[in-house]
Amino acid sequence: MLIPHKRKPYLAFTNFLPMIKEYIQSNQQRFLDELFELLRIPSVSADSRLKADVRKAAEYVVKKLKDAGADKVELCETAGHPIVYGEKIINASLPTVLVYGHYDVQPPDPLNLWTSPPFEPVVKDGKIYARGSCDDKGQFYMHIKAFEAMTKLNQLPCNIKFMIEGEEEVGSDNLGTFVKENKSKLKADVILISDTSLISLDTPSITVGLRGLSYMEVEVTGPNRDLHSGVYGGAVANPANVLSKMIASLHDENGRVTIPGFYDKVAELTAAEREALNKAPFNLDNYKKELDIEDIRGEKGYTTLERTGTRPTLDVNGIWGGYTGEGAKTVLPSKAYAKISMRLVPNQNNHEITELFTKHFESLAPKSVKVKVTALHGGEPAVTPTDSKAFKAASKAFEEVWGKSPIPTRDGGSIPIVSLFKKELGLDTVLMGFGLDSDAIHSPNEHYGIKNFLIGIETIVAFYKHYSAK
Ligand code: BES
Ligand code: MN
Ligand code: MN
């Protein structure tokens, strides 16, 4: 057991990593127990019935930040779920790192496909199975434990602020307002986030790009009521048939989106950028095997890594209408619906894309139906710099802990608040994620490797060490 000794809390040149490693090892069971307690709280931000549980998760984070050594911790009320803010300022003249994460999770549905209940974490094959284990409870909790280790061992080398929100999975609307209204409180030098993925445990990577998002719901209405599909079928427009055809027409035979103007502002990568991006290891056979698909598809002329990292896309996320219960009911639905997301890349603007989609989708409707298009949420894409002091520190952290230089990658997912941090606070973000694409985030049986969790804590501490070195 290490006895923390009193010394100046910011000796930038001491190598405190071995000491930290030992601290992580001797406390790992407790770290996991604490994370499990957080994972047991069903903090699904989208489910209004679970509002009290979402709050309970926030209160738990408040407590854990205090226990870890934060001086000031607050539960900040918003129009929706609360934001947890915490800080430890050791010396105003030192740099400040602002850690962002989210304690809310996606709904666990479909429940019947989970092999163990989503809010009863279990370890199987060295992985923690639970909703939120990777996205993002397991990942932001690494930061609280890295902070605890540095604080308890008197090795915190700079100031640290935490902002852990409860609405990331529903679009972070209230966080946007919070950031705009609390600029001085959030004053920092860099944002640090673990909410993305790595290539693999053998090949570390740092995310340098995230896609933006424009998320729509469409409703197609035909007759004023459900009709007998024998009596009326073939004589009245069926909104489910019409909607399917409208959706099918949104891609051409080359896998390109047909909305006029959709690609107008897309920043094309240079040949050198494309080459660099495609150097990242990617095995198509394993990719297909892991997903149990015979073939892939996507925009013609681009590799899979380019399709998810650098190209805008359009996908149906849900589609329904008419009878979907057990057995058969012969009915021609009055209404059909779909939820459609568009992933965006620099320099597309989500408001513009939302407008282009709306106009185009309305224009596709035949006179026999009515169409209603609603925007649900959106966010801008982000590209983070690779020449900053913080990015270099993150690189060195991987080199030191993993023995390998991390590869810069562009991820297909979205964290809309990243572009807002840049716009409102003028701050760049370092996306140091430790998940794997195979961790099944948003899917049944989400999991997170205990190895990823522990090495993540160490790598985060190494980031602070290199970021604070003079
Ligand atoms: N952590 C993810 C985003 C992510 C996952 C980025 C994997 C890179 C790799 C985040 O929690 C998320 O799911 N974001 C949503 C957007 C939000 C507005 C609902 C998304 O990407 O669908
Ligand atoms: Mn996330
Ligand atoms: Mn998510």
Side-chain angles (χ1 to χ4, degrees):
M1 183 49 200
L2 268 166
I3 316 283
H5 47 282
K6 273 279 161 215
R7 54 153 67 171
K8 266 203 194 146
Y10 38 91
L11 287 176
F13 283 103
T14 20
N15 189 5
F16 51 81
L17 261 197
M19 204 168 152
I20 295 280
K21 205 171 169 158
E22 194 180 326
Y23 186 90
I24 297 169
Q25 264 163 15
S26 42
N27 288 283
Q28 63 166 285
Q29 192 51 52
R30 175 175 57 82
F31 287 4
L32 289 171
D33 290 344
E34 291 170 8
L35 172 61
F36 277 34
E37 201 168 325
L38 177 61
L39 291 171
R40 279 187 203 103
I41 309 171
S43 49
V44 180
S45 50
D47 191 340
S48 57
R49 293 166 303 180
L50 295 174
K51 199 164 180 243
D53 286 298
V54 178
R55 192 178 185 85
K56 207 171 133 194
E59 284 164 354
Y60 185 76
V61 177
V62 166
K63 179 169 183 318
K64 289 294 144 190
L65 273 173
K66 281 186 188 155
D67 292 350
D71 293 331
K72 192 170 115 189
V73 188
E74 299 165 351
L75 189 131
C76 307
E77 301 294 348
T78 73
H81 301 301
I83 293 163
V84 179
Y85 175 81
E87 64 177 36
K88 187 168 185 75
I89 308 296
I90 55 168
N91 181 335
S93 66
L94 286 170
T96 303
V97 175
L98 173 57
V99 175
Y100 164 84
H102 63 94
Y103 66 79
D104 66 318
V105 300
Q106 284 277 324
D109 312 85
L111 279 174
N112 60 323
L113 294 182
W114 284 78
T115 53
S116 57
F119 298 107
E120 292 172 28
V122 289
V123 176
K124 279 178 276 183
D125 303 326
K127 297 174 192 114
I128 306 159
Y129 281 79
R131 169 58 84 233
S133 55
C134 173
D135 184 12
D136 178 42
K137 288 173 172 174
Q139 292 215 58
F140 85 73
Y141 206 67
M142 298 181 308
H143 287 267
I144 299 189
K145 295 299 101 176
F147 169 61
E148 176 196 308
M150 290 186 286
T151 311
K152 302 287 181 211
L153 298 174
N154 258 309
Q155 299 297 336
L156 186 66
C158 64
N159 303 313
I160 184 162
K161 294 180 175 177
F162 287 91
M163 181 169 61
I164 314 293
E165 71 151 321
E167 299 191 323
E168 196 277 343
E169 299 291 9
V170 290
S172 302
D173 280 351
N174 293 305
L175 184 74
T177 313
F178 182 82
V179 169
K180 284 178 197 154
E181 288 173 357
N182 289 280
K183 289 190 184 174
S184 65
K185 185 192 201 101
L186 301 174
K187 203 169 169 303
D189 296 278
V190 69
I191 311 262
L192 183 61
I193 304 180
S194 294
D195 193 24
T196 51
S197 36
L198 289 164
I199 295 177
S200 74
L201 279 172
D202 296 322
T203 314
S205 55
I206 301 179
T207 302
V208 296
L210 289 166
R211 289 197 286 185
L213 183 67
S214 171
Y215 198 114
M216 317 295 296
E217 181 165 326
V218 298
E219 178 192 283
V220 177
T221 307
N224 58 6
R225 60 199 151 91
D226 287 0
L227 303 174
H228 188 290
S229 63
V231 177
Y232 289 96
V236 174
N238 178 331
N241 296 11
V242 172
L243 175 60
S244 308
K245 195 168 171 191
M246 289 166 82
I247 288 171
S249 79
L250 294 175
H251 287 98
D252 69 13
E253 65 286 2
N254 292 322
R256 282 174 69 89
V257 176
T258 54
I259 299 168
F262 187 75
Y263 293 96
D264 283 2
K265 295 201 172 162
V266 170
E268 297 286 344
L269 269 63
T270 63
E273 283 174 315
R274 289 182 70 176
E275 202 188 311
L277 192 107
N278 286 305
K279 280 212 175 104
F282 176 78
N283 182 310
L284 186 59
D285 286 331
N286 290 348
Y287 188 79
K288 289 193 284 193
K289 206 183 279 162
E290 205 243 322
L291 300 175
D292 199 7
I293 51 175
E294 292 289 320
D295 204 359
I296 53 162
R297 54 137 286 149
E299 189 183 355
K300 200 173 162 187
Y302 295 92
T303 64
T304 300
L305 289 177
E306 289 174 329
R307 285 169 180 169
T308 58
T310 70
R311 300 299 297 168
T313 50
L314 180 150
D315 276 287
V316 174
N317 293 243
I319 180 163
W320 70 102
Y323 184 68
T324 55
E326 197 184 336
K329 180 187 178 199
T330 48
V331 69
L332 193 158
S334 161
K335 285 176 187 288
Y337 306 82
K339 291 186 190 278
I340 297 173
S341 70
M342 287 164 282
R343 296 285 170 172
L344 313 177
V345 299
N347 299 312
Q348 287 176 301
N349 171 282
N350 68 290
H351 301 290
E352 278 173 27
I353 293 295
T354 295
E355 221 169 275
L356 291 179
F357 176 92
T358 307
K359 235 196 247 150
H360 180 63
F361 205 77
E362 285 169 355
S363 79
L364 290 176
K367 226 174 147 187
S368 49
V369 298
K370 295 179 199 74
V371 170
K372 199 169 106 193
V373 180
T374 319
L376 294 185
H377 58 229
E380 285 183 34
V383 171
T384 61
T386 52
D387 55 358
S388 66
K389 176 179 147 197
F391 185 86
K392 287 178 188 153
S395 257
K396 283 188 190 153
F398 275 103
E399 279 161 28
E400 183 169 9
V401 177
W402 300 55
K404 283 179 186 169
S405 284
I407 297 176
T409 56
R410 291 200 188 202
D411 283 3
S414 310
I415 309 177
I417 206 68
V418 171
S419 69
L420 202 108
F421 285 146
K422 182 72 187 173
K423 209 186 282 167
E424 297 298 330
L425 305 174
L427 295 180
D428 285 318
T429 294
V430 173
L431 294 159
M432 233 182 159
F434 297 92
L436 299 174
D437 282 349
S438 55
D439 283 346
I441 63 170
H442 295 206
S443 300
N445 305 312
E446 175 177 354
H447 53 272
Y448 190 42
I450 292 180
K451 258 196 195 152
N452 300 55
F453 178 73
L454 297 173
I455 200 171
I457 299 173
E458 205 183 324
T459 315
I460 289 165
V461 174
F463 167 82
Y464 283 91
K465 183 185 119 179
H466 291 290
Y467 185 63
S468 305
K470 298 254 156 39

